[in-house]
């Protein structure tokens, strides 16, 4: 005790992952960032976060489509910090297409990144967390872990699976002070959402405004995007003692979408 906690956040070079990493670093955790993108831009993000918070901020460029790379990233984070206390599985991609035209390689890629990568990182983290009697695993799922939308077969299937994985890891870790929960956001305006607007415009023959109001926010009763900071605050809460008995849950932050 007294040592800083060490966290690894996948897909944290942008969007929700960067928001979660920032919240954990501001709370005093050393963090490992991961994600794809321009090397110079990522180094700028890393250095800024380190300077703002005073914690150690590492970056691991692992491509999580590969299970071995997932395990290697966990192992090098644990080596660098002496342990891994908090694992946030956030990296994810989307692809929108009717099932009959859904490219098989897109299905495989989405299952690999949005579901299997979380299995591989949890698999590589669990033993050490159990041995040290401490671990907090947070999987960023989605409202699409609970309900479907047309044209998102792979994403919906992967996110439903991720909640199942969350429950299983929660049961296995329960007596070792290892907790595993999912956060299930509604629509958050990040690059992932921005990038699917053109595809949805094409698939549904709609304007950009129609896609935002009639598709993206159609089911979100508040008619507001979720803010990245709201997801980050909940992730941070799940690492505090007040959340010790939250285990195997999927916490919706979706403006009431899945209440319908
Ligand atoms: P984003 O596109 O802004 O960020 C995705 C991150 O994943 C980036 O850092 C990217 O570099 C990384 N990434 C992509 N492919 C990778 C790979 N092969 N290996 C390693 N990293 C990779 O997306 P976001 O909106 O911040 O989404 C983050 C998570 O939140 C995803 O799992 C997404 O499904 C989930 N989510 C997002 C929303 C939303 O509305 N934005 C809603 C519900 C759930």
């Amino acid at each position: 005790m007294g040592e800083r906690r060490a966290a690894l956040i996948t897909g944290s070079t942008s969007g929700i992952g960067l928001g979660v990493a920032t919240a954990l670093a501001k709370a005093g955790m050393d963090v490992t960032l991961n994600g794809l993108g321009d090397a110079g831009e990522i180094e700028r993000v890393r250095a800024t976060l380190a300077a703002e918070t005073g914690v150690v901020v590492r970056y691991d460029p692992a491509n999580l489509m590969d299970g071995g790379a997932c395990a290697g990233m966990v192992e090098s984070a644990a080596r660098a910090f002496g342990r891994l206390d908090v694992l946030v599985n956030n990296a994810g991609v989307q692809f929108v297409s009717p099932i009959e035209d859904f490219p098989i390689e897109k299905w495989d890629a989405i299952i690999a990144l949005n579901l299997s990568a979380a299995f591989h990182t949890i698999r590589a983290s669990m033993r050490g967390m159990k041995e040290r009697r401490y671990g907090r695993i947070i999987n960023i799922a989605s409202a699409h872990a609970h309900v479907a939308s047309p044209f998102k077969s792979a994403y919906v299937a992967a996110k439903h699976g991720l909640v199942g994985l969350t429950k299983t890891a929660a049961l296995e870790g329960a007596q070792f002070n290892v907790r595993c929960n999912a956060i299930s956001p509604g629509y958050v305006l990040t690059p992932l959402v921005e990038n699917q607007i053109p595809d949805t415009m094409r698939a549904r023959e709609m304007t950009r405004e129609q896609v935002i109001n009639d598709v993206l926010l159609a089911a979100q009763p508040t008619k507001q995007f979720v803010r990245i900071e709201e997801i980050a605050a909940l992730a941070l809460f799940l690492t505090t003692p007040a959340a010790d008995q939250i285990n195997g849950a999927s916490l919706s932050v979706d403006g009431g979408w899945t209440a319908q």
Side-chain angles (χ1 to χ4, degrees):
M1 281 300 127
E3 279 185 3
R4 290 204 298 251
R5 298 248 189 245
L8 166 63
I9 306 95
T10 72
S12 47
T13 55
S14 112
I16 294 169
L18 180 56
V20 171
T22 302
L24 299 184
K26 283 186 174 163
M29 293 185 207
D30 292 326
V31 299
T32 299
L33 302 177
N34 156 260
L36 310 179
D38 175 71
E41 172 64 13
I42 291 171
E43 173 50 23
R44 195 190 60 73
V45 167
R46 190 205 63 75
T48 306
L49 189 55
E52 277 174 8
T53 58
V55 300
V56 179
V57 182
R58 302 171 64 246
Y59 165 66
D60 191 311
N63 185 328
L64 306 185
M65 296 287 182
D66 176 66
C70 295
M73 174 186 63
V74 168
E75 281 152 22
S76 62
R79 229 184 355 262
F81 293 132
R83 72 215 180 281
L84 183 62
D85 300 305
V86 176
L87 168 66
V88 183
N89 286 303
N90 167 79
V93 286
Q94 174 64 280
F95 190 80
V96 179
S97 165
I99 290 177
E100 60 271 31
D101 297 324
F102 209 96
I104 290 167
E105 65 277 10
K106 291 286 186 192
W107 169 275
D108 289 342
I110 290 175
I111 298 298
L113 183 63
N114 297 17
L115 177 58
S116 300
F119 164 74
H120 290 294
T121 58
I122 292 172
R123 183 177 184 276
S125 306
M126 203 54 148
R127 185 169 283 107
M129 287 180 170
K130 281 182 169 178
E131 281 171 6
R132 286 187 312 281
R133 296 288 194 276
Y134 187 86
R136 295 292 178 267
I137 301 168
I138 300 165
N139 297 323
I140 305 298
S142 168
H144 283 123
H146 301 283
V147 295
S149 296
F151 312 126
K152 297 185 178 177
S153 52
Y155 188 87
V156 169
K159 294 296 188 180
H160 275 67
L162 185 59
V163 167
L165 174 65
T166 301
K167 292 176 183 172
T168 308
L171 296 181
E172 294 187 23
Q175 298 195 24
F176 299 88
N177 192 25
V178 177
R179 304 287 174 259
C180 184
N181 291 290
I183 296 177
S184 290
Y187 277 104
V188 190
L189 196 57
T190 66
L192 180 142
V193 170
E194 192 58 52
N195 292 339
Q196 67 186 278
I197 291 174
D199 289 343
T200 311
M201 285 167 64
R202 268 191 300 279
R204 294 187 180 234
E205 298 180 348
M206 283 178 162
T207 66
R208 180 185 163 83
E209 201 151 72
Q210 284 172 319
V211 168
I212 290 177
N213 292 321
D214 303 346
V215 180
L216 298 184
L217 296 182
Q220 208 149 295
T222 54
K223 296 296 170 199
Q224 290 169 343
F225 283 108
V226 178
R227 289 183 299 116
I228 288 174
E229 293 73 20
E230 293 169 323
I231 305 301
L234 180 55
L236 177 60
F237 173 71
L238 288 173
T239 71
T240 65
D244 279 356
Q245 294 307 316
I246 302 179
N247 195 30
S250 169
L251 302 169
S252 293
V253 187
D254 63 8
W257 176 350
T258 52
Q260 299 169 97

